Amino acid sequence: MLSISNSTPTAFLLTGVPGLEAFHIWFSVPFCCFCAVALLGNSTILYVVITDSSLHEPMYYFLSMLSATDMGITLSSLPTTLSVLWFNARIISLDGCIVQMFFLHGFTLMESSVLLAMAFDRFVAICNPLRYAMILTNSRIIKAGVMIFVRMLVNLMPLLLLLKRLTFCGPNVLSHSYCYHPDVIKCSCSSIKVNSICGLVALILTSGIDIPCIFLSYVLIIKSILSIASPEERQKAFSTCVSHIGAVAVFYIPWIILALVHRFGHNAPPYVHTLMSTLHFLFPPVLNPIIYSVKTKQIRKAFTKLFPNTE
């Protein structure tokens, strides 16, 4: 346990797998494998989208944004997690926590925005295909990318700045091997009402908007698909959405469950928090490249060009 006085810099203790500290080195093996798969898969998608001119279309530009945010999420949590699992280096300063939260939460918020942009892309492609190229021009995609970044800053910066006003009396033991905002503010011995309200507002302004908008876009997409007379054309239209639906599911379901566990699961065993946080921050980067390489014909072709001997 770490006791922090007001005269010394605030520090926190990171946590690996509660109760199984003796097996941390073994837990690091699958963790490293998952991270390697995530980094290799997403970097490969980025490479093929950049180098293959046939993929220079709005759908694949948004896919490259998704891969970039997935790589950012993986790299943000990797250093502290490996430090805990390999060297039992658990201490992190408040400023270090804030920096990690900026990248970890920042890439997470941007991924939510990218998934919304991809839903809009599928909506336009299916419901208004004749104007697809006119609506989603390169300049508008660049503007969308800038807006995604600005939106992240507007929602995240108040949360991080408000952390500096809190007092931490110790022991400041976190539930994860990285800094997670709801986890950090629970360690404060001063009032966190403003921080909690600000966090709830940020959640509403991101996933609270993105999830209903994605749902609405698919309601309109399904309505448009059902109006198509040919069953073959219906199947073809819907197949273009399967990858995105999978990406939405693997991102939002663990996120929602993790948020609920942190807010209402105070009596849950410690390993539940560890498991849900791992699912949330590790599964999307690992599964998204697999989903898109399996379900998207153009990506499979690009992979075949890149690895011609895999057939």
Side-chain angles (χ1 to χ4, degrees):
M1 304 291 282
L2 183 69
S3 180
I4 307 298
S5 67
N6 291 330
S7 61
T8 59
T10 302
F12 299 88
L13 273 180
L14 301 171
T15 301
V17 184
L20 297 173
E21 289 80 5
F23 301 97
H24 275 179
I25 192 66
W26 297 107
F27 286 116
S28 69
V29 175
F31 176 79
C32 289
C33 291
F34 280 126
C35 287
V37 171
L39 295 174
L40 179 61
N42 286 291
S43 60
T44 303
I45 285 182
L46 278 172
Y47 177 79
V48 297
V49 171
I50 292 172
T51 58
D52 194 332
S53 59
S54 66
L55 300 180
H56 291 177
E57 298 178 6
M59 174 182 175
Y60 304 108
Y61 290 146
F62 288 126
L63 176 58
S64 64
M65 293 182 191
L66 182 68
S67 294
T69 57
D70 278 337
M71 289 182 67
I73 291 173
T74 302
L75 292 172
S76 298
S77 61
L78 184 62
T80 54
T81 301
L82 289 183
S83 295
V84 171
L85 295 179
W86 284 354
F87 310 110
N88 198 33
R90 300 173 58 193
I91 299 177
I92 185 171
S93 66
L94 175 60
D95 290 336
C97 250
I98 291 175
V99 170
Q100 185 178 47
M101 282 189 287
F102 174 79
F103 289 103
L104 188 62
H105 289 288
F107 282 115
T108 303
L109 294 178
M110 285 195 290
E111 180 151 342
S112 179
S113 300
V114 171
L115 290 172
L116 175 60
M118 296 175 79
F120 178 73
D121 168 77
R122 292 300 84 205
F123 166 75
V124 176
I126 293 175
C127 299
N128 203 348
L130 297 180
R131 299 190 60 195
Y132 179 75
M134 295 175 58
I135 295 174
L136 291 173
T137 61
N138 290 341
S139 63
R140 286 177 177 170
I141 293 173
I142 293 173
K143 290 177 182 178
V146 173
M147 287 302 298
I148 287 170
F149 181 75
V150 172
R151 184 194 189 203
M152 178 273 291
L153 290 179
V154 170
N155 282 283
L156 184 59
M157 291 308 297
L159 291 179
L160 302 184
L161 293 175
L162 285 171
L163 284 174
K164 299 293 288 185
R165 59 177 281 276
L166 296 179
T167 302
F168 298 91
C169 305
N172 302 321
V173 181
L174 302 181
S175 303
H176 310 294
S177 58
Y178 52 82
C179 294
Y180 183 62
H181 181 263
D183 200 21
V184 172
I185 63 174
K186 285 193 300 184
C187 295
S188 175
C189 53
S190 56
S191 175
I192 60 171
K193 184 176 181 180
V194 175
N195 300 74
S196 297
I197 292 174
C198 189
L200 181 61
V201 170
L203 188 65
I204 292 173
L205 293 178
T206 51
S207 60
I209 293 176
D210 296 347
I211 293 175
C213 289
I214 292 173
F215 179 78
L216 177 61
S217 69
Y218 273 101
V219 169
L220 298 175
I221 287 172
I222 291 173
K223 182 180 178 181
S224 178
I225 290 175
L226 293 177
S227 65
I228 300 174
S230 171
E232 292 78 10
E233 290 298 321
R234 288 183 189 176
Q235 183 178 0
K236 182 179 178 181
F238 183 74
S239 65
T240 64
C241 303
V242 171
S243 298
H244 180 252
I245 293 173
V248 169
V250 299
F251 178 77
Y252 282 114
I253 292 176
W255 187 9
I256 293 172
I257 296 176
L258 179 62
L260 292 175
V261 167
H262 267 282
R263 290 189 180 274
F264 306 110
H266 304 294
N267 297 324
Y271 63 81
V272 173
H273 295 264
T274 302
L275 175 62
M276 292 317 305
S277 64
T278 302
L279 290 176
H280 170 48
F281 289 113
L282 196 56
F283 269 32
V286 171
L287 294 180
N288 283 339
I290 297 174
I291 292 171
Y292 274 92
S293 61
V294 170
K295 293 295 183 179
T296 306
K297 183 178 179 180
Q298 291 81 353
I299 295 294
R300 289 202 307 271
K301 286 184 176 180
F303 279 0
T304 302
K305 294 178 183 178
L306 188 62
F307 304 106
N309 294 326
T310 56
E311 290 187 340

